[in-house]
Amino acid sequence: MRIDIITVLPEMIEGALNCSILKRAQDKGLVQFGLHNLRDYTLDKHRRVDDYPFGGEAGMVLQIEPIDRCISHLKSQRDYDEVIFTTPDGEQFSQKTANELSLLENLIILCGHYKGVDYRVREHLVTREISIGDFVLTGGELAAAMIADAVVRVIPGAIGDEQSALSDSFQDNLLAPPVYTRPAEYKGWRVPDVLLSGHERKIAEWRLEQAHERTKRLRPDLLK
């Protein structure tokens, strides 16, 4: 898989892409990242990529021309399955979305910034708009890093134990059950006996019961 990220702040994402699972996935040849500074695609001598909105609204808007230049340049090199725009009013990102995107080969993620982008970008250049939640960030860089992390970690081979990813919260519309490790007792707080029993069927049943209980209590909407 290849993920190209278009941003005005590449340094904000660079660190996240070069550590932990994302770095190991790159080292294994499972994913390639390309960071593209939008300012490299403007013809403005001051490298400006934004301007005031027509109509007098407050804030600054990313211009269509440098975005179109960058996307066109990338598309001249390979075919892309999706051109994603990170925006608070996009579709809600979920584990299901991450699973779907992990099956694709080439993605572009355009990071929103300032007041947003010239709407013609959304009308003509992007194929999917994604939000990581009902809140507004200064830019879409953090959202792009989160999307990349969630997508790459479910690519087979990215995690040493693939079953670990399959048992994460939201994979089956349930929250993950509680997990414990050594010591079995600490300050009088004991690990549930069933987890120490070695009885695989009972442990599996307990985990499923706990997953349902936690989901019902914390995220009942997932059970609908």
Side-chain angles (χ1 to χ4, degrees), residues 148-216:
D149 186 281
V151 169
V152 171
R153 71 188 307 277
V154 292
I155 295 175
I159 295 179
D161 183 355
E162 294 179 14
Q163 290 301 313
S164 176
L166 295 176
S167 62
D168 286 342
S169 290
F170 308 113
Q171 281 290 8
D172 49 8
N173 266 16
L174 293 173
L175 299 184
V179 292
Y180 301 85
T181 189
R182 295 178 178 83
E185 184 172 346
Y186 179 74
K187 291 186 176 181
W189 306 326
R190 281 188 53 79
V191 172
D193 290 336
V194 64
L195 296 180
L196 307 175
S197 68
H199 197 300
E200 291 186 6
R201 181 178 61 80
K202 288 185 178 180
I203 291 173
E205 290 174 351
W206 179 87
R207 285 176 172 157
L208 184 59
E209 290 171 0
Q210 291 294 312
H212 275 281
E213 189 280 326
R214 294 190 71 244
T215 306
K216 182 178 180 180

Side-chain angles (χ1 to χ4, degrees), residues 18-42:
N18 287 290
C19 61
S20 190
I21 290 172
L22 296 188
K23 184 179 188 306
R24 291 200 295 271
Q26 292 177 81
D27 292 341
K28 292 179 180 179
L30 299 175
V31 64
Q32 288 182 314
F33 290 110
L35 281 178
H36 307 275
N37 191 332
L38 189 60
R39 298 186 191 281
D40 294 337
Y41 294 86
T42 180

